[in-house]
Amino acid sequence: MITKRIIPCLDVKDGRVVKGVNFLGLADVSNPVKLAEYYSCSGADELVFYDITASAEGRALFTDILRQTASTVFIPLTVGGGINTVADFDRVLKCGADKVSVNSGAIKNPQLIHDAAQRYGSQCVVLSVDAKRLDGGFRVFARGGRDDTGLDAIEWIKRGVALGAGEIVLNSIDTDGVKGGFDLEMLDAVCQAVSVPVIASGGAGCAEDFVTLFKTLPKVDAGLAAGIFHFGELTIPDLKDTLAENGILVRRENHA
């Protein structure tokens, strides 16, 4: 049985970690390098690092903070934001990322998924999808949740996997930052549609939300969260203790 992964997410804007609700109202949290080091030492299984305004501002993802972050952590690091070309993949990987997350760039050019997977392997290509309910279905949004693409989320995810994406991060805009639990309905639809690892993002408010996630949807591989970790409402060791007590397999060698 595969262990479930716990992944803190660092949303970075202007060199600082920020957190909002429903992708809006961003509040300053911390220095990304220090926060990443803290999570790495706290037993996080991976880290996700998003330059959240790179796509909206039409610029390349910053590399100096990324290099510093990568040099301080010894767990897998997924990086996204402003990834539009294979050259962007190359740059981010050379800065120390283990995986690269594509979102808006893949919507504009789906071939990017295929080309990157061919060059670096599917395990390196993470398709991040920002989705919300619209007209009775799940719709994909781009540019940090700003633009309705008109794409059906499930069909887009299936296409992304067919092109070579090796992992899906599903960000539910409806539950983002609300702390009312993960979007189980949307996640279930994605898990039924693809066989690659699915990471749940958006809505975690307490340890029990992770228990519910993994017990209700055993196919979900990982839970990603930001606010509850950043603001000290829940520590990763405490979360893993709760998961283990509920019979959910987690990696705990740092905190045996």
Side-chain angles (χ1 to χ4, degrees):
M1 192 175 165
I2 298 172
T3 56
K4 301 301 185 184
R5 292 173 287 153
I6 302 302
I7 307 175
C9 177
L10 310 183
D11 290 328
V12 180
K13 181 178 188 287
D14 301 326
R16 298 284 294 177
V17 177
V18 296
K19 185 68 191 95
V21 176
N22 301 125
F23 285 32
L24 303 170
L26 300 175
D28 184 81
V29 176
S30 182
N31 174 295
V33 181
K34 289 182 179 175
L35 198 55
E37 187 174 21
Y38 165 74
Y39 287 135
S40 183
C41 295
S42 294
D45 298 295
E46 297 185 17
L47 278 176
V48 170
F49 182 109
Y50 288 137
D51 181 346
I52 60 169
T53 55
S55 290
E57 293 169 5
R59 59 172 170 78
L61 181 144
F62 46 75
T63 52
D64 51 343
I65 291 173
L66 174 54
R67 269 201 197 89
Q68 292 174 53
T69 303
S71 69
T72 62
V73 302
F74 302 98
I75 54 177
L77 178 64
T78 298
V79 176
I83 306 295
N84 294 297
T85 65
V86 173
D88 289 331
F89 267 80
D90 191 62
R91 185 166 53 84
V92 168
L93 292 167
K94 282 177 176 168
C95 286
D98 299 281
K99 295 185 273 191
V100 181
S101 175
V102 288
N103 189 326
S104 298
I107 292 167
K108 285 182 286 190
N109 175 25
Q111 185 68 21
L112 174 61
I113 299 172
H114 174 269
D115 293 348
Q118 287 289 304
R119 181 171 296 192
Y120 302 109
S122 287
Q123 81 289 340
C124 184
V125 182
V126 179
L127 179 60
S128 178
V129 179
D130 300 331
K132 70 188 293 185
R133 284 164 180 75
L134 208 62
D135 301 330
F138 304 119
R139 190 77 62 80
V140 177
F141 280 68
R143 295 175 66 247
R146 293 168 181 83
D147 298 343
D148 179 2
T149 65
L151 292 169
D152 175 82
I154 306 305
E155 293 307 313
W156 169 237
I157 288 167
K158 285 161 68 174
R159 185 180 177 196
V161 171
L163 285 165
E167 193 166 73
I168 302 297
V169 175
L170 181 69
N171 311 298
S172 171
I173 298 173
D174 296 321
T175 60
D176 175 70
V178 177
K179 299 185 180 177
F182 290 97
D183 196 327
L184 301 177
E185 182 190 13
M186 192 186 292
L187 285 160
D188 185 42
V190 173
C191 287
Q192 300 294 333
V194 295
S195 56
V196 300
V198 174
I199 298 171
S201 171
C206 60
E208 286 67 34
D209 289 337
F210 287 87
V211 173
T212 301
L213 170 70
F214 294 131
K215 282 194 171 279
T216 307
L217 300 174
K219 286 186 176 180
V220 169
D221 287 76
L224 181 148
I228 56 167
F229 296 143
H230 297 343
F231 299 118
E233 297 163 40
L234 179 64
T235 68
I236 291 169
D238 285 349
L239 170 57
K240 289 194 168 186
D241 287 345
T242 301
L243 290 171
E245 287 161 10
N246 282 273
I248 296 161
L249 208 58
V250 288
R251 181 182 66 88
R252 300 170 83 197
E253 62 260 29
N254 290 3
H255 300 274

